[in-house]
Amino acid sequence: MTVRPHALALLIIGAALPAAPLAADPATPEALAIGVAQLRHSVGDWAVTTTFFAEDGSVANVVPGHYRFEWVVPDRVVAGRSDLPELGRSAGILFYVRERHAVIEMVSVGADGHLWVMSGPVDGETRSTPPTALADGRSMLLRFTRFNVSPDRFESRMETSFDGGQTWRPGNHQLFLRAGDRSKM
């Protein structure tokens, strides 16, 4: 039996994931359709401009990048890669539907090996992480929200909280523009 690299990555990452909070009921067909549409929308190549914010909310840096997503399991799992060459950063990303829990999850891991898991309602556009312990003793939450969605563009906002989600401050803003066929880039 041959195991495709994407399937092996899914097995490895799936074994490392914490259990998602259980929803009261599985996703309704309508909610599931919204979640699957989000996955379908993400498939393809994206030119991305990322604006990073300083602690005071001012712009700290603006960098170009590229994201690419493709189906691993149609209508359930999308795998991708993000590259920000100017910063020397790359990450592997999975988006997947957990129908029985009525959530979409996104996992991301970069060169530092930290696995970020972000979950949100299958019919929503916001996903957040569980509390993550930092080296300085604080705990941090991340919240990602996708908005201004159209067929060939969308925006994403990442916010951070250091007080258990009582207050949030901007971390970055991303503008995704569909890049089309990579052979034409």
Side-chain angles (χ1 to χ4, degrees), residues 114 116 131-141 161-162:
H114 184 87
W116 294 98
T132 300
L134 301 176
D136 63 7
R138 294 183 301 164
S139 180
M140 177 178 67
L141 298 169
S161 176
F162 296 94

Side-chain angles (χ1 to χ4, degrees), residues 94-113:
L94 287 175
F95 288 104
Y96 50 93
V97 174
R98 296 189 72 190
E99 184 175 351
R100 286 190 359 222
H101 301 286
V103 298
I104 287 184
E105 287 186 334
M106 177 186 145
V107 297
S108 175
V109 65
D112 64 359

Side-chain angles (χ1 to χ4, degrees), residues 98-166:
R98 296 189 72 190
E99 184 175 351
R100 286 190 359 222
H101 301 286
V103 298
I104 287 184
E105 287 186 334
M106 177 186 145
V107 297
S108 175
V109 65
D112 64 359
H114 184 87
L115 179 68
W116 294 98
V117 180
M118 295 142 262
S119 299
V122 73
D123 58 350
E125 294 283 6
T126 299
R127 293 170 230 320
S128 57
T129 65
T132 300
L134 301 176
D136 63 7
R138 294 183 301 164
S139 180
M140 177 178 67
L141 298 169
L142 298 179
R143 178 170 67 186
F144 290 82
T145 303
R146 189 175 84 134
F147 61 100
N148 290 338
V149 178
S150 66
D152 294 322
R153 80 181 297 280
F154 67 95
E155 295 177 60
S156 174
R157 174 178 48 245
M158 187 274 290
E159 300 165 290
T160 59
S161 176
F162 296 94
D163 58 12
Q166 293 179 37

Side-chain angles (χ1 to χ4, degrees), residues 46-53 59-67 83-89 172-176:
W46 298 90
V48 180
T49 302
T50 303
T51 303
F52 293 95
F53 298 101
V59 173
N61 199 3
V62 178
V63 297
H66 180 262
Y67 284 53
D83 290 294
L84 300 176
E86 194 173 295
L87 301 179
R89 289 188 196 169
N172 72 43
H173 172 270
Q174 293 182 298
L175 173 61
F176 287 73

